[in-house]
Amino acid sequence: MYNKIFDRKVDDIGLQTGIDRLTPEKIEKTVNEVFSGETGAKLKVYHDTCVRCGLCASACHYYVSHDNDPSYSPAGKVTQTISILLDKKGKVGPDFIYQCAQIAYTECNLCRRCVHYCPLGIDTGYMMSVVRRICHKLGVTPQYLQDTAHSHSATMNQMWVKDDEWTDSLLWQEEEARDEFPDMRIPLDKDGADVYYSVIGPEPKFRTHLIYQAGAILHEAGVNWTMPSMPGWDNSDMAMYSGDFEMMGRLKRIHFESAQKLHSKKIVMGECGHAFRSVYDQGNRWLGWKDYPVEVVHSIEFFAHLLKTGKIKMAEKFPGPVTIHDPCNVIRGRGLMNELRYVVSEICESYIEMQPNAEHNFCCAAGGGVINCGPPFKNVRMDGNRAKADQLRAAAEQGVKTVIAPCHNCHGGLEDIIEHYELGLDLKFLGDIIYANMVKTKAVEE
Amino acid sequence: MQNTNGWNWEPGRRKETFSDCEQGSEWLEEWHVSPDGEKVACVACTAPAEFAMCVNGKLGETVYEKIICPRFDQDGKLAAYVSQDMEWFVYVDGETWEEGYGFAWDLKSAGGHVATAVQQDMRYGMAVDGKLWDNLFENGNNFCLSPDGSRTAAAVQVEPMGQAEIYKFQDGVFSLAVDGEAIGDLVMNVYNPTFSPDSKSVACEVRTSLYEYSIAVDGKKWGTSYNGVWAPAFNPVSGAVVAPVRIGGKWGLAENNNIIWQPKYTQLWKQRFTAQGDIWAVCSPSYGEFTLVKNDAPWSVSAAVVYDVAVSPDGQRAAAVARGHDRRYKVMIDNKFWPGSFEMIWRPVFSADSANCAARVDMGSKQTIMVNGKAFGEEFDQCFEPAFSPDSSKVLIKARNGKEYIRIVADVSEFK
Ligand code: SF4
Ligand code: SF4
Ligand code: SF4
């Protein structure tokens, strides 16, 4: 196994420089510190109870996409990484850490599909997170992923957006929107609003139209809402994925405190999967909150609410059929599959289910920070997710032209898959369709 | 503590409808009410891409392309950012600073001074009362103004950095800047600078490696690094600096790098001193439970979330906003809760004699003021921050019902 994996070693400055600086002593010390101080009984139970039955294998898109190569199966990834760290009590060399990092950061999306297929409920995603935690503490992280974690630490957002650039992009979108909705606002720092709207770093940087669209929907629905002028607006979290839990905590603290400072009743998050996981499961808990300290609603739920209460009406439905990509973090992680289908059925003429779907859906291979590992690992995602291409192609063969994916990362991943496998499909957020086809009572007549 | 001397404490109520602005405007934005309740301000859109400040119904004469983030400071000054001809200016009580900037944000005021973060020609720094730092930097954030308003500090990026230059970043490109001068070593990150009560010293959090954090005072790092630290605070009596530090997964409190509260808390933050040198903070004694702690002795009541802490002027009492496990908000005070739970609560306010405490609460569609756990018998569409008279016997209620502004001076005994 050890050699097999290095057949597929990918060069990355972050991983290489990281291991060049390691000594066996530092590895041993760090590994054992994490095992004794941070992992508790859970890891040991998982490690000790796996019966190598292999039922988890077909759950993993990497395994399926690599013609059932066992080294890509969940249990296979465990035996090539954490099992050895545990068995050897951290007495391994730097090359082995490179292998661990490559597997944990780039060959597992922490999508947790495998958990559902393991008769013993073993969470391989959790074990890969532990490997990542160790690698972070050893300074062995893929360059581009580390860069986003640095951005988080320096600016509290994922994209090196400076304080002024944030507000400036909101004001710009507000101005643009006023051509269509003359009295439309993106209310800044409004105290006591019902909704605090938060987004992820790429929105002000590359996808500003999504802020426009969200603003238009909130405006049309008559929601009492706000956005902050100060850091805390970015709900995303690549530090969680690099294994930098201290930074994850700092990010979630500023996100929630930003909403608390404005006394907003709830945070509505844009269409993102991993950010949701960070606020409702990981970051909040690292800080000691069992629940989220401010109500959090994913935009799938929020759109469902707006449509159900008639606050948003569709002028026409999007011509179908479309298909739905279920993002792991909000579907397996949060159970929003019914809401998602309700929203899609309200806004589209018809949809065809991808197979498998809902909580059984295959990950897009971008999640878990894998897409953030950047260009060196693009082929890892492409080759590792032929399974997704097959799912998409099957839908396309039934007449589907559009895929709806309510998650930023999924968009990034699926775009690449669609292009790489020449599937010719269109990709949309829910907000794209709602904005384009809703009744606009507050807009100027054209 | 707000000085409420000289305010109108005549018992009774005044109602006003400031309708004049409305006639000259396409829309009016949110209301902001001065601490003494004498002024109500909002931004008015007077024509497409034209905005004026509306104060007590009167439109200001100057029209701007934009007005954002208006607010009254503790001294009652109305400040905002206004833009004109692609430049941003600080507006204070009807006047704008002479110099405009590429962008300005994060308005602060203290000791009669107003300060702002500034971007000029894509360089970053701060300006106080219109005077810009001599040096501007590649980037800047975590802006801070000293208690007397004379000094400023921020985290600044001293060295430029290329795309994905992770090792350059890890070697340190950030520093603390005080009054525009970078001080101390370059580090990965600087957070939450804070000045001493006499405005002479400044402490901040520093991150020195991917996983090492410490505190620096006037640019000098503590000798120990920790898994994590939170914002430091100065002891007004001794001048010592205390900060929460994380050791072995638990939080304790360090003073000048010596542990004074053992690391036993799941969470510990927002520590602050009383004038006497006692320390209050928010802590989590066990996972999922939060409360207030004084001098390392946590209260016995707890809630899922605790924040917005107010400490009484005599330092003996404290109150905070608590979110229960039922996701409703309550006032936590004196190791108890006020009766009732709400949709939202704002930071409680103590009277000068420390005997009374008031809070603004939201019941869903209506709001009111509570004093000592008892509600004022009337509800409003919106309330603003309450205040006590200097003799602590009266409460100023500022509220809005529709387009009507209501200023009430009520006796504490009227809350039943
Ligand atoms: S990618 Fe998903 S299915 Fe595969 S091992 Fe990781 S968590 Fe399990
Ligand atoms: S399904 Fe569970 S028990 Fe079986 S090999 Fe996978 S992890 Fe081990
Ligand atoms: S990016 Fe989307 S599909 Fe991929 S792990 Fe995240 S939520 Fe799942």
Side-chain angles (χ1 to χ4, degrees):
Chain A
M1 283 274 180
Y2 191 106
N3 288 331
K4 170 118 177 97
I5 185 72
F6 270 74
D7 288 351
R8 58 184 193 246
K9 179 175 168 182
V10 174
D11 287 328
D12 180 274
I13 292 173
L15 300 183
Q16 190 59 47
T17 314
I19 68 157
D20 288 347
R21 294 173 173 185
L22 290 179
T23 59
E25 295 72 35
K26 165 131 196 211
I27 298 171
E28 190 181 342
K29 185 165 167 275
T30 307
V31 168
N32 290 312
E33 268 170 15
V34 172
F35 285 154
S36 63
E38 301 189 24
T39 58
K42 186 158 139 185
L43 179 71
K44 200 170 157 19
V45 169
Y46 284 160
H47 178 249
D48 293 353
T49 52
C50 173
V51 291
R52 308 280 189 272
C53 66
L55 286 172
C56 56
S58 58
C60 184
H61 46 287
Y62 288 100
Y63 170 85
V64 175
S65 305
H66 284 283
D67 301 323
N68 302 349
D69 176 343
S71 70
Y72 285 99
S73 71
K77 289 179 236 201
V78 170
T79 55
Q80 293 169 90
T81 58
I82 201 144
S83 288
I84 294 173
L85 292 174
L86 278 165
D87 292 347
K88 299 200 163 176
K89 298 195 167 50
K91 285 193 182 22
V92 298
D95 282 350
F96 181 73
I97 295 299
Y98 197 114
Q99 169 176 331
C100 286
Q102 183 170 326
I103 293 173
Y105 285 116
T106 77
E107 296 176 7
C108 173
N109 297 104
L110 312 182
C111 75
R112 290 176 166 159
R113 191 169 191 264
C114 50
V115 188
H116 293 246
Y117 293 77
C118 171
L120 302 171
I122 291 172
D123 183 351
T124 301
Y126 166 74
M127 290 198 273
M128 291 301 113
S129 299
V130 174
V131 178
R132 291 178 179 205
R133 174 70 173 160
I134 289 167
C135 291
H136 158 75
K137 294 206 121 193
L138 290 169
V140 183
T141 42
Q143 179 193 14
Y144 285 90
L145 181 66
Q146 188 57 55
D147 185 59
T148 55
H150 287 163
S151 168
H152 276 307
S153 76
T155 63
M156 298 290 131
N157 69 73
Q158 198 192 120
M159 287 277 140
W160 297 100
V161 177
K162 292 173 178 174
D163 285 4
D164 59 317
E165 294 171 338
W166 161 246
T167 310
D168 200 43
S169 56
L170 295 186
L171 292 170
W172 167 45
Q173 288 312 303
E174 181 187 70
E175 209 170 284
E176 297 267 300
R178 281 191 183 148
D179 287 342
E180 186 179 8
F181 301 93
D183 57 350
M184 144 112 184
R185 291 179 61 209
I186 296 184
L188 283 178
D189 293 342
K190 182 174 174 181
D191 185 54
D194 293 334
V195 166
Y196 170 108
Y197 189 67
S198 68
V199 299
I200 80 169
E203 293 206 23
K205 194 95 175 177
F206 304 119
R207 288 177 167 165
T208 38
H209 68 284
L210 294 180
I211 296 176
Y212 178 125
Q213 289 177 187
I217 296 168
L218 287 155
H219 177 66
E220 181 61 39
V223 175
N224 175 8
W225 69 295
T226 191
M227 288 181 98
S229 71
M230 293 295 295
W233 53 266
D234 181 356
N235 51 37
S236 76
D237 190 349
M238 283 301 137
M240 163 176 75
Y241 285 147
S242 74
D244 187 349
F245 298 156
E246 290 76 14
M247 194 51 61
M248 166 182 77
R250 190 171 286 271
L251 295 171
K252 292 311 111 175
R253 182 179 175 187
I254 194 170
H255 179 55
F256 284 119
E257 286 189 347
S258 162
Q260 285 173 336
K261 208 150 86 195
L262 294 176
H263 304 99
S264 302
K265 289 185 185 149
K266 55 171 159 290
I267 295 172
V268 171
M269 309 180 55
E271 293 178 62
C272 181
H274 89 273
F276 199 64
R277 174 168 177 171
S278 171
V279 301
Y280 89 93
D281 184 19
Q282 307 263 102
N284 54 339
R285 293 188 170 138
W286 189 85
L287 288 164
W289 293 311
K290 239 186 230 169
D291 192 2
Y292 22 64
V294 178
E295 207 64 38
V296 176
V297 172
H298 190 270
S299 47
I300 294 174
E301 294 167 283
F302 189 63
F303 290 147
H305 165 77
L306 294 182
L307 290 162
K308 249 178 228 157
T309 52
K311 292 194 171 123
I312 288 291
K313 295 191 180 71
M314 300 307 285
E316 56 201 36
K317 290 193 172 188
F318 186 79
V322 302
T323 191
I324 300 169
H325 168 76
D326 291 278
C328 319
N329 283 313
V330 288
I331 302 301
R332 263 193 293 285
R334 177 70 180 172
L336 297 183
M337 45 279 209
N338 294 339
E339 277 90 341
L340 177 54
R341 278 158 184 74
Y342 166 74
V343 174
V344 172
S345 65
E346 287 294 305
I347 66 175
C348 299
E349 275 172 1
S350 63
Y351 65 90
I352 289 178
E353 291 284 0
M354 216 183 268
Q355 292 303 334
N357 64 346
E359 65 270 45
H360 298 284
N361 188 36
F362 277 120
C363 171
C364 63
V370 177
I371 194 168
N372 298 69
C373 295
F377 299 97
K378 186 170 174 195
N379 285 339
V380 172
R381 288 188 289 120
M382 296 308 101
D383 301 341
N385 216 352
R386 205 177 66 209
K388 185 92 247 165
D390 291 344
Q391 275 183 298
L392 291 168
R393 194 177 297 107
E397 280 163 4
Q398 296 174 72
V400 165
K401 298 211 163 38
T402 304
V403 185
I404 293 180
C407 165
H408 272 272
N409 269 11
C410 301
H411 265 245
L414 294 176
E415 254 161 39
D416 290 340
I417 298 275
I418 289 169
E419 193 196 291
H420 182 84
Y421 291 97
E422 298 176 3
L423 300 173
L425 287 162
D426 231 19
L427 202 54
K428 294 230 181 285
F429 286 102
L430 294 171
D432 291 329
I433 294 179
I434 296 176
Y435 162 76
N437 300 303
M438 69 182 177
V439 176
K440 293 174 181 168
T441 58
K442 297 178 181 171
V444 282
E445 303 273 327
E446 284 191 9
Chain B
M1 180 81 204
Q2 180 106 47
N3 182 359
T4 63
N5 277 303
W7 294 8
N8 175 7
W9 289 105
E10 201 58 47
R13 70 172 60 206
R14 199 170 80 213
K15 283 190 187 181
E16 285 177 73
T17 46
F18 300 118
S19 54
D20 337 357
C21 285
E22 221 172 304
Q23 284 138 26
S25 317
E26 308 210 341
W27 75 77
L28 296 175
E29 298 184 0
E30 302 76 54
W31 287 17
H32 300 267
V33 179
S34 63
D36 64 5
E38 301 294 347
K39 281 186 273 180
V40 175
C42 60
V43 174
C45 174
T46 53
E50 280 188 13
F51 295 86
M53 195 68 93
C54 168
V55 180
N56 289 0
K58 299 265 171 303
L59 273 183
E61 284 171 12
T62 322
V63 176
Y64 305 95
E65 284 156 18
K66 288 188 175 77
I67 306 178
I68 60 165
C69 303
R71 48 160 212 138
F72 283 98
D73 68 11
Q74 287 291 92
D75 306 329
K77 284 203 284 271
L78 173 62
Y81 292 108
V82 297
S83 89
Q84 203 67 291
D85 300 327
M86 312 289 283
E87 270 196 311
W88 285 90
F89 298 83
V90 175
Y91 164 109
V92 183
D93 277 340
E95 305 283 323
T96 50
W97 289 2
E98 265 166 38
E99 201 181 338
Y101 309 107
F103 204 76
W105 69 103
D106 198 6
L107 207 56
K108 308 198 173 279
S109 52
H113 300 279
V114 175
T116 182
V118 165
Q119 175 264 106
Q120 190 65 301
D121 303 320
M122 305 313 285
R123 307 274 299 164
Y124 293 78
M126 288 184 84
V128 184
D129 300 329
K131 192 175 174 329
L132 192 59
W133 279 1
D134 292 334
N135 301 316
L136 297 179
F137 299 90
E138 192 81 10
N139 193 4
N141 49 43
N142 285 260
F143 300 97
C144 166
L145 181 66
S146 69
D148 68 5
S150 69
R151 308 190 66 201
T152 47
V156 295
Q157 186 182 336
V158 179
E159 302 261 346
M161 208 182 67
Q163 209 204 346
E165 276 199 79
I166 57 172
Y167 295 109
K168 181 155 190 189
F169 184 82
Q170 285 172 32
D171 287 343
V173 296
F174 270 85
S175 167
L176 177 72
V178 181
D179 298 328
E181 296 295 328
I183 62 166
D185 301 334
L186 290 182
V187 288
M188 279 180 73
N189 296 110
V190 167
Y191 302 113
N192 294 309
T194 180
F195 280 93
S196 56
D198 64 7
S199 300
K200 291 207 171 91
S201 267
V202 56
C204 63
E205 298 173 55
V206 289
R207 182 191 190 205
T208 52
S209 79
L210 280 172
Y211 32 73
E212 288 173 301
Y213 294 81
S214 191
I215 299 294
V217 184
D218 296 324
K220 232 177 138 307
K221 282 193 285 269
W222 282 0
T224 315
S225 58
Y226 302 91
N227 288 166
V229 295
W230 295 129
F234 282 89
N235 182 329
V237 179
S238 68
V241 172
V242 302
V245 296
R246 192 168 198 259
I247 299 168
K250 294 279 187 190
W251 290 91
L253 198 66
E255 180 182 74
N256 295 347
N257 205 24
N258 298 310
I259 299 297
I260 54 168
W261 297 6
Q262 287 308 314
K264 58 177 180 289
Y265 296 103
T266 303
Q267 190 51 268
L268 179 67
W269 52 27
K270 297 172 192 279
Q271 80 286 2
R272 55 189 285 184
F273 284 94
T274 65
Q276 298 73 25
D278 292 320
I279 307 172
W280 285 96
V282 172
C283 75
S284 165
S286 64
Y287 175 69
E289 299 297 331
F290 282 76
T291 189
L292 293 186
V293 48
K294 185 185 181 189
N295 297 337
D296 208 7
W299 283 355
S300 55
V301 297
S302 66
V305 185
V306 171
Y307 65 101
D308 263 0
V309 183
V311 175
S312 63
D314 67 4
Q316 297 302 307
R317 305 179 67 195
V321 175
R323 188 177 200 249
H325 291 288
D326 59 358
R327 299 180 173 183
R328 290 185 55 85
Y329 291 84
K330 296 188 273 189
V331 173
M332 180 186 261
I333 182 166
D334 300 331
N335 202 6
K336 294 191 281 286
F337 293 104
W338 279 356
S341 64
F342 301 91
E343 294 274 302
M344 183 51 63
I345 301 179
W346 280 251
R347 187 194 298 272
V349 175
F350 278 101
S351 61
D353 66 359
S354 302
N356 302 315
C357 184
R360 167 186 173 190
V361 298
D362 181 310
M363 283 89 78
S365 55
K366 289 285 182 182
Q367 301 188 348
T368 194
I369 301 296
M370 296 190 75
V371 171
N372 301 335
K374 295 171 194 145
F376 188 66
E378 202 178 328
E379 294 171 359
F380 309 93
D381 290 346
Q382 187 183 3
C383 288
F384 300 87
E385 190 177 63
F388 285 98
S389 59
D391 68 359
S392 305
S393 69
K394 297 188 194 70
V395 183
L396 174 61
I397 298 172
K398 301 168 278 181
R400 176 181 70 78
N401 264 337
K403 290 172 180 172
E404 190 173 65
Y405 172 65
I406 307 145
R407 184 187 190 276
I408 302 171
V409 174
D411 203 85
V412 166
S413 62
E414 288 177 57
F415 292 78
K416 297 192 183 92

